[in-house]
């Protein structure tokens, strides 16, 4: 069984279909989605429908992204968030205009059931954005940090590669996990990029909401599969560009 982690989709369903096909995904694989399923391209409803159906016959885990929480707040609670609309929410709102009541109820359940993080038996941590507590995710005070934080990736990138893990100055929050897999912060918004490692953190967001591809990473072998740049799959749409 492979463990495959998928970066931020942002309603780019055509890109998701490509990476699943190119990776020859089967029901034997474990699929871990890092969040931000909506906000960007036009297929928000279709993307969530696809993921719900995928879970019925595949081993899937769905992590909560900040865009998923914003969409839930609008869909369930009617919250009007102008910033959300400016950052991809407008396309999601338009997609839901054609959705019936049952579809919306199913999607609310999907968004509510998302996990803030997943820690496997090998001490590999999967979450959308990051965490700040020095003792690890179980001690995080503010749960929103799991899907809004950007300091984890910033910390990992700025860390002196010569600093040893047993050094007193080594960041304590990184020492609890063998590897950490995140999305949230695009490696590039303007072109093709691949997942990158800094310290023990892997960033799998390769800018599918913008002009990059969607990426899927085998957490054991580090093999990567990518879609075409997602903007080329939706040539008449702006996405989040």
């Amino acid at each position: 069984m492979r463990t495959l982690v998928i970066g931020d989709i942002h309603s780019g369903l055509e890109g998701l279909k490509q990476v699943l096909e190119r990776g020859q995904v089967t029901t034997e694989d474990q699929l871990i989605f890092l969040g931000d399923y909506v906000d960007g391209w036009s297929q928000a409803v279709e993307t969530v429908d696809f993921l719900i159906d995928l879970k019925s016959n595949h081993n899937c885990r769905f992590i909560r992204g900040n865009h998923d929480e914003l969409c839930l707040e609008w869909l369930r609670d009617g919250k009007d968030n102008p910033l959300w609309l400016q950052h991809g929410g407008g396309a999601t709102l338009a997609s839901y205009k054609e959705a019936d009541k049952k579809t919306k109820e199913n999607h609310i359940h999907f968004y509510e059931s998302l996990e803030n993080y997943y820690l496997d038996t090998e001490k590999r941590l999967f979450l959308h954005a990051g965490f700040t507590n020095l003792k690890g995710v179980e001690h995080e005070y503010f749960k929103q940090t799991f899907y809004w934080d950007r300091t984890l990736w910033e910390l990992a990138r700025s860390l002196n590669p010569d600093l040893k893990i047993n050094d007193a100055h080594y960041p304590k929050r990184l020492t609890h996990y063998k590897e950490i897999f995140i999305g949230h912060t695009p490696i590039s918004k303007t072109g093709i990029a691949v997942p990158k490692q800094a310290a023990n953190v892997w960033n799998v967001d390769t800018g599918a909401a913008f002009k990059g591809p969607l990426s899927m990473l085998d957490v054991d072998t580090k093999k990567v599969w990518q879609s075409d740049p997602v903007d080329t799959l939706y040539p008449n749409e702006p996405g989040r560009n």
Side-chain angles (χ1 to χ4, degrees):
M1 181 183 74
R2 296 180 299 177
T3 298
L4 305 171
V5 60
I6 297 99
D8 305 32
I9 301 168
H10 285 289
S11 304
L13 177 58
E14 298 308 315
L16 175 58
K17 289 178 178 178
Q18 282 190 342
V19 293
L20 295 178
E21 180 180 355
R22 290 172 181 180
Q24 297 182 324
V25 169
T26 74
T27 55
E28 299 299 314
D29 298 316
Q30 181 181 36
L31 304 175
I32 302 176
F33 293 84
L34 292 176
D36 278 3
Y37 309 107
V38 296
D39 296 354
W41 306 104
S42 61
Q43 293 187 288
V45 172
E46 294 90 340
T47 298
V48 176
D49 282 341
F50 181 88
L51 293 173
I52 292 172
D53 183 64
L54 189 70
K55 189 172 184 179
S56 69
N57 48 43
H58 285 73
N59 181 8
C60 298
R61 300 195 82 106
F62 297 113
I63 304 298
R64 176 176 289 106
N66 57 309
H67 285 270
D68 312 314
E69 188 69 2
L70 290 169
C71 182
L72 173 62
E73 290 175 349
W74 165 73
L75 195 59
R76 181 190 62 195
D77 308 325
K79 285 191 177 181
D80 182 15
N81 189 324
L83 282 177
W84 171 62
L85 296 176
Q86 293 172 23
H87 292 278
T92 297
L93 190 150
S95 179
Y96 273 103
K97 282 184 178 178
E98 303 300 321
D100 59 25
K101 182 179 178 181
K102 181 62 176 176
T103 296
K104 291 178 180 178
E105 289 174 351
N106 289 340
H107 287 201
I108 288 171
H109 176 72
F110 172 80
Y111 295 128
E112 289 178 335
S113 68
L114 300 177
E115 300 177 88
N116 283 333
Y117 63 86
Y118 169 57
L119 181 62
D120 73 7
T121 57
E122 297 183 42
K123 284 291 189 179
R124 298 182 298 199
L125 177 66
F126 304 83
L127 73 171
H128 180 63
F131 64 100
T132 60
N133 196 293
L134 302 185
K135 296 180 180 180
V137 291
E138 298 90 343
H139 301 274
E140 193 67 37
Y141 291 109
F142 304 104
K143 305 307 180 187
Q144 293 89 344
T145 304
F146 294 132
Y147 45 90
W148 279 107
D149 177 70
R150 294 195 194 275
T151 67
L152 181 72
W153 181 237
E154 182 180 52
L155 172 70
R157 289 183 64 206
S158 66
L159 190 63
N160 183 345
D162 295 326
L163 195 65
K164 303 302 182 184
I165 194 170
N166 57 357
D167 191 291
H169 298 290
Y170 198 91
K172 294 294 185 293
R173 59 175 148 160
L174 299 182
T175 63
H176 305 292
Y177 309 107
K178 177 183 176 182
E179 291 178 305
I180 304 170
F181 298 87
I182 63 169
H184 188 53
T185 302
I187 295 169
S188 174
K189 296 181 179 181
T190 58
I192 295 177
V194 296
K196 288 188 177 179
Q197 179 186 15
N200 62 339
V201 180
W202 281 87
N203 186 343
V204 192
D205 183 358
T206 49
F210 300 94
K211 295 185 178 181
L214 178 65
S215 294
M216 180 171 71
L217 173 73
D218 184 320
V219 303
D220 292 306
T221 67
K222 302 303 185 288
K223 183 173 181 178
V224 175
W225 297 267
Q226 294 187 300
S227 71
D228 296 344
V230 180
D231 65 307
T232 66
L233 303 176
Y234 299 90
N236 300 314
E237 300 179 23
R240 295 184 61 202
N241 295 295

